Amino acid sequence: MLADQYFLIAHEDRTGRSRLHPRATGLGLAAALLGELVLEGRIGITDGDLVILDRHPPTDALAHDILDLLIAQPQHRDVRVWLAFLSQDAAIRVGERLSRLGAVEAVTRRRMLSTETLYMPNTAAQRNAAAWAPARLANLLVRGIGMSTSDRVLIGLVAATGLTRHVLYDFEMHRHAFHSLPSAVGSLPGDLRELVEITETSVGSVLTVGRR
């Protein structure tokens, strides 16, 4: 699933912590969850607004929940509003989905006045799978082979949220991949390209406010 792959790229496999500011990671995950519904033909995006295209529930429980939420709030159609709303607990919800799949484990740690639950790979197999997520994406870009629409959306969200350097970490080795990025994103269907662009703008706004 798109959001699962983004989650694995966006979090340190050894600590379970976000590589980005948590709000940026939340927006990226929220966009990925909406992207899953676009890819399944359940919703579309036009001029910054969400449009329900198919009300039939997806097979995935989390995607089903998100679609139900969108259908139940017809007065809210601005993609930016939904990104902000879904970003609040997207990391938890995607982490739980990955936990159910056996890709990560929930680890609760005590802090001074509270507890914190992180979703992280604990076994060798889980860590290898987590490390493969960014390596696979880098390999696709370096080799320049045909990429699925889902992979191109993932690349777009990685770039939009500031994760590119965690995927393409060696400029010399990944030189060709950097040149492939714009065309990979630019070749997306209009609604998915718009989702990536709105996500980039939303992340920029959040980080700008945070620096004030």
Side-chain angles (χ1 to χ4, degrees):
M1 301 290 283
L2 176 60
D4 295 354
Q5 291 296 302
Y6 182 88
F7 184 101
L8 294 174
I9 293 171
H11 290 83
E12 295 277 359
D13 59 345
R14 296 289 178 179
T15 66
R17 298 192 181 281
S18 173
R19 298 181 188 274
L20 304 171
H21 188 291
R23 293 182 69 185
T25 300
L27 287 167
L29 286 167
L33 289 170
L34 292 179
E36 290 177 4
L37 293 175
V38 174
L39 288 166
E40 288 199 17
R42 298 307 198 277
I43 65 172
I45 298 174
T46 304
D47 296 328
D49 288 340
L50 288 173
V51 180
I52 304 298
L53 301 176
D54 185 348
R55 293 171 179 261
H56 289 91
T59 55
D60 176 72
L62 178 52
H64 187 171
D65 287 347
I66 301 297
L67 181 60
D68 282 350
L69 191 59
L70 299 178
I71 292 172
Q73 301 289 331
Q75 71 276 25
H76 297 301
R77 284 292 166 256
D78 190 325
V79 174
R80 293 169 299 180
V81 171
W82 279 111
L83 287 178
F85 178 75
L86 295 174
S87 69
Q88 297 175 57
D89 64 353
I92 295 173
R93 301 189 76 176
V94 177
E96 288 174 345
R97 180 167 72 180
L98 282 166
S99 181
R100 290 193 297 271
L101 293 171
V104 299
E105 295 177 17
V107 177
T108 301
R109 293 176 175 167
R110 292 187 178 278
R111 307 179 75 175
M112 288 186 65
L113 299 174
S114 64
T115 59
E116 177 185 32
T117 300
L118 300 172
Y119 296 89
M120 54 190 290
N122 263 346
T123 67
Q126 289 173 340
R127 285 193 291 271
N128 287 338
W132 176 240
R136 183 188 70 85
L137 207 56
N139 188 49
L140 288 174
L141 284 165
V142 168
R143 294 174 63 189
I145 59 179
M147 288 176 280
S148 68
T149 303
S150 180
D151 282 334
R152 284 181 284 139
V153 179
L154 180 59
I155 289 167
L157 294 178
V158 162
T161 55
L163 280 169
T164 305
R165 64 190 176 90
H166 296 289
V167 174
L168 306 176
Y169 53 86
D170 186 317
F171 180 76
E172 289 302 321
M173 184 170 66
H174 296 140
R175 184 186 297 271
H176 175 73
F178 279 102
H179 295 303
S180 302
L181 270 171
S183 60
V185 179
S187 62
L188 284 169
D191 47 3
L192 289 167
R193 190 169 62 250
E194 192 171 344
L195 176 62
V196 171
E197 292 168 353
I198 293 170
T199 303
E200 184 173 22
T201 301
S202 296
V203 169
S205 298
V206 163
L207 297 183
T208 298
V209 170
R211 285 194 292 266
R212 289 177 183 172

